[in-house]
Amino acid sequence: MAKNKKKIGIHEAYYNDPIKADLELFGRETDSSRRGFLRKSSLIAMAAIVGSNIPFADKMPSGLIPAALANSQEPFKIEGKEGLIYLNDRPVNAETPPHLLNDEFTQAKYMFIRNNGIPPKKSEIDLENWTLEISGESCKKPMKFSINELKKKFKHYTYALQLECGGNGRSEYNPPAKGNQWTTGAVACGRWTGVRLKDVLEYCGIKKDAVYIGYYGADKHLSGDLSKEPISRGAPISKALENESLIAWAYEGENIPLYNGYPLRLVMGGWPASVSGKWLNKIVIRNKVHDGKKMAGQSYRVPCNTVAPGTKVADEDMCIIESMPVKSLITFPKSGIKHDLNKKFKFNGKAWAGDLEVKQMEVSIDFGATWKKVKKLDKPINRLAWQTWYATLKFPKKGYYEVWARATDSNNKKQPTILPGWNPRGYLNNACHRIAVQVV
């Protein structure tokens, strides 16, 4: 009897192996330029499926899902993840709806995914032979550690650390910025377990001229070219030597999810999550600002001085993003609910402030004209963890309301009620979050 063949969607097929998907779905092969169609029959097959001829078919990159099929209703699924909204499947990027961030610590299944390249396949990861190299021109004693050696040689620490993508909120900028159109859900906070980065770096010796660290991971460039890096970023040595900067192997007591960096990653809370390198296999101690992929140009940089929307800013006038700005979310209830006028409205959320702490939360039901302090704001469980807040209010009469939330950090800086300064790549949008409530 023939075995049942597992059916997969087009997104999953292209994610698993884009070249194979081209061949199996359309019979398509390309030459060494990875563009065009070697066989006319395969072009005819694709044209029939998209519903028309393809005038520039000779320029079409291999491994590209035709846009006509990219909106397939068949959902793209990642094992171990639930409820995420997928923004892209190559690379995979997915955000978390606010109401799924209501747990004290973000469950692994709800943690957002922000990838730049193709992660290693789980079946290809050999835990016994996975090594982390420490080197660089400002490293006194370059060496390699297996994961077991890291676990045996250094003391273990667990910290709740919030990670947020530098582009979280990009979708609201106008003129629009290129890139994944994150709304509010590229953020998470959970308990990471590992060894302190400072302990490992100091064991290998840090020269006096060290100013930065950089990381490299085992993910591959989207082109498949092994000589290219999808991303290699880093942070000043002062951030690397903070107690809470970890080389982690566990999240919420379990292995880190594959798409979040299994089996080893950096975790540097409060800074753009891009400095927390995933699938970690090398750290370099640098005597200059790390010059890896996405450290230069306009990547993860904003204008050093404010600019008008749409301004073209020269690379030399862009500054690297470090600590993320103060921000908050309403995580309960879900936006769009109906509420009884005669009952108190109870709601809550999360707030964070990069390297700082949130010292005050306020809420508004009159579009920011007046604000009221929340009933309770928890202290962070440790430095760089997010904080839970709780609020209660009464609505004056029936009708449509927007409930807004605003955080203030320990330097007295408040969230803006409208979009903060426009920037070419759409980073650092920390405008107030709001939900809709129909009072009946």
Side-chain angles (χ1 to χ4, degrees):
M1 181 183 291
K3 291 183 179 177
N4 292 330
K5 193 172 181 178
K6 182 189 173 189
K7 292 182 179 179
I8 62 174
I10 187 170
H11 293 280
E12 187 173 352
Y14 269 85
Y15 168 73
N16 288 340
D17 189 334
I19 304 303
K20 185 180 176 186
D22 264 353
L23 184 62
E24 291 188 346
L25 296 178
F26 304 107
R28 182 186 178 203
E29 293 176 277
T30 56
D31 61 19
S32 58
S33 73
R34 291 182 180 264
R35 290 180 182 273
F37 293 73
L38 278 182
R39 287 184 293 166
K40 191 176 179 181
S41 58
S42 59
L43 173 57
I44 293 171
M46 183 179 283
I49 291 174
V50 302
S52 181
N53 67 323
I54 307 173
F56 296 109
D58 60 317
K59 296 179 176 58
M60 185 176 184
S62 64
L64 178 73
I65 301 176
L69 307 178
N71 293 325
S72 163
Q73 295 301 309
E74 190 161 356
F76 180 75
K77 292 180 181 176
I78 296 288
E79 186 179 347
K81 295 289 183 183
E82 284 182 24
L84 301 189
I85 300 167
Y86 287 89
L87 308 180
N88 201 343
D89 62 353
R90 187 171 168 79
V92 176
N93 288 289
E95 68 173 329
T96 315
H99 67 280
L100 296 183
L101 294 171
N102 196 47
D103 296 318
E104 183 177 7
F105 304 111
T106 308
Q107 296 183 53
K109 62 184 179 181
Y110 296 146
M111 180 182 280
F112 74 100
I113 300 171
R114 195 319 181 209
N115 291 343
N116 288 267
I118 303 171
K121 291 184 178 177
K122 203 159 191 175
S123 59
E124 297 170 349
I125 294 175
D126 179 356
L127 286 181
E128 293 299 318
N129 292 307
W130 187 281
T131 57
L132 172 64
E133 176 185 348
I134 308 294
S135 57
E137 63 271 17
S138 293
C139 177
K140 289 181 181 176
K141 296 176 292 182
M143 52 182 85
K144 287 185 179 181
F145 303 92
S146 68
I147 295 176
N148 281 335
E149 285 172 332
L150 287 172
K151 290 180 177 178
K152 287 179 183 174
K153 202 175 285 289
F154 302 100
K155 184 178 177 182
H156 299 187
Y157 292 85
T158 297
Y159 292 112
L161 300 168
Q162 64 84 11
L163 292 180
E164 182 182 16
C165 174
N168 196 22
R170 175 179 290 139
S171 62
E172 292 188 54
Y173 282 106
N174 191 28
K178 288 182 180 176
N180 295 289
Q181 297 302 300
W182 303 103
T183 61
T184 57
V187 64
C189 181
R191 291 165 291 192
W192 298 89
T193 299
V195 295
R196 295 194 304 201
L197 176 58
K198 67 183 283 186
D199 292 344
V200 178
L201 297 183
E202 288 172 350
Y203 186 84
C204 296
I206 304 170
K207 293 181 184 177
K208 288 183 179 177
D209 64 352
V211 296
Y212 231 84
I213 64 104
Y215 69 77
Y216 297 89
D219 46 338
K220 296 174 185 170
H221 193 271
L222 291 177
S223 66
D225 186 341
L226 297 179
S227 67
K228 293 182 177 178
E229 302 158 0
I231 188 169
S232 171
R233 302 199 70 239
I237 195 75
S238 57
K239 179 67 177 174
L241 297 181
E242 287 183 351
N243 287 340
E244 299 83 5
S245 293
L246 296 180
I247 298 170
W249 55 76
Y251 179 78
E252 287 296 298
E254 303 286 343
N255 287 334
I256 298 170
L258 175 66
Y259 278 77
N260 299 118
Y262 172 82
L264 206 63
R265 75 171 290 173
L266 279 174
V267 187
M268 294 179 147
W271 283 38
S274 57
V275 305
S276 297
K278 303 189 285 288
W279 313 289
L280 183 70
N281 56 20
K282 185 177 180 181
I283 295 172
V284 284
I285 309 174
R286 308 300 310 269
N287 63 5
K288 59 184 180 182
V289 175
H290 183 53
D291 51 3
K293 182 74 173 175
K294 295 189 182 287
M295 282 298 296
Q298 309 223 339
S299 295
Y300 300 101
R301 292 175 181 238
V302 292
C304 302
N305 299 302
T306 56
V307 299
T311 301
K312 206 167 188 178
V313 187
D315 289 352
E316 58 268 28
D317 295 326
M318 302 286 280
C319 290
I320 299 173
I321 300 169
E322 296 191 336
S323 177
M324 295 292 284
V326 61
K327 197 166 181 177
S328 62
L329 284 176
I330 301 168
T331 55
F332 176 85
K334 190 177 178 181
S335 184
I337 67 154
K338 287 184 178 177
H339 182 75
D340 187 337
L341 174 67
N342 299 314
K343 292 182 178 177
K344 283 185 177 179
F345 181 62
K346 295 180 179 179
F347 58 111
N348 58 266
K350 308 293 180 188
W352 58 97
D355 282 339
L356 301 175
E357 190 172 317
V358 175
K359 76 167 193 179
Q360 178 176 285
M361 276 300 305
E362 300 164 287
V363 294
S364 173
I365 57 170
D366 55 8
F367 301 97
T370 60
W371 294 88
K372 175 187 174 186
K373 281 187 185 177
V374 303
K375 184 178 173 185
K376 183 184 176 192
L377 170 64
D378 288 345
K379 297 289 287 182
I381 190 170
N382 55 248
R383 183 171 174 267
L384 308 181
W386 67 15
Q387 297 162 244
T388 299
W389 54 269
Y390 306 86
T392 303
L393 56 80
K394 281 278 287 181
F395 293 100
K397 58 184 179 180
K398 294 178 181 178
Y400 169 82
Y401 291 84
E402 290 197 358
V403 179
W404 293 15
R406 180 172 72 179
T408 302
D409 71 22
S410 47
N411 281 349
N412 292 319
K413 199 158 191 176
K414 293 181 184 293
Q415 278 186 265
T417 52
I418 58 172
L419 276 174
W422 180 92
N423 60 89
R425 292 291 177 91
Y427 296 124
L428 305 185
N429 179 3
N430 65 330
C432 291
H433 184 225
R434 57 202 177 112
I435 62 169
V437 180
Q438 293 279 0
V439 177
V440 295

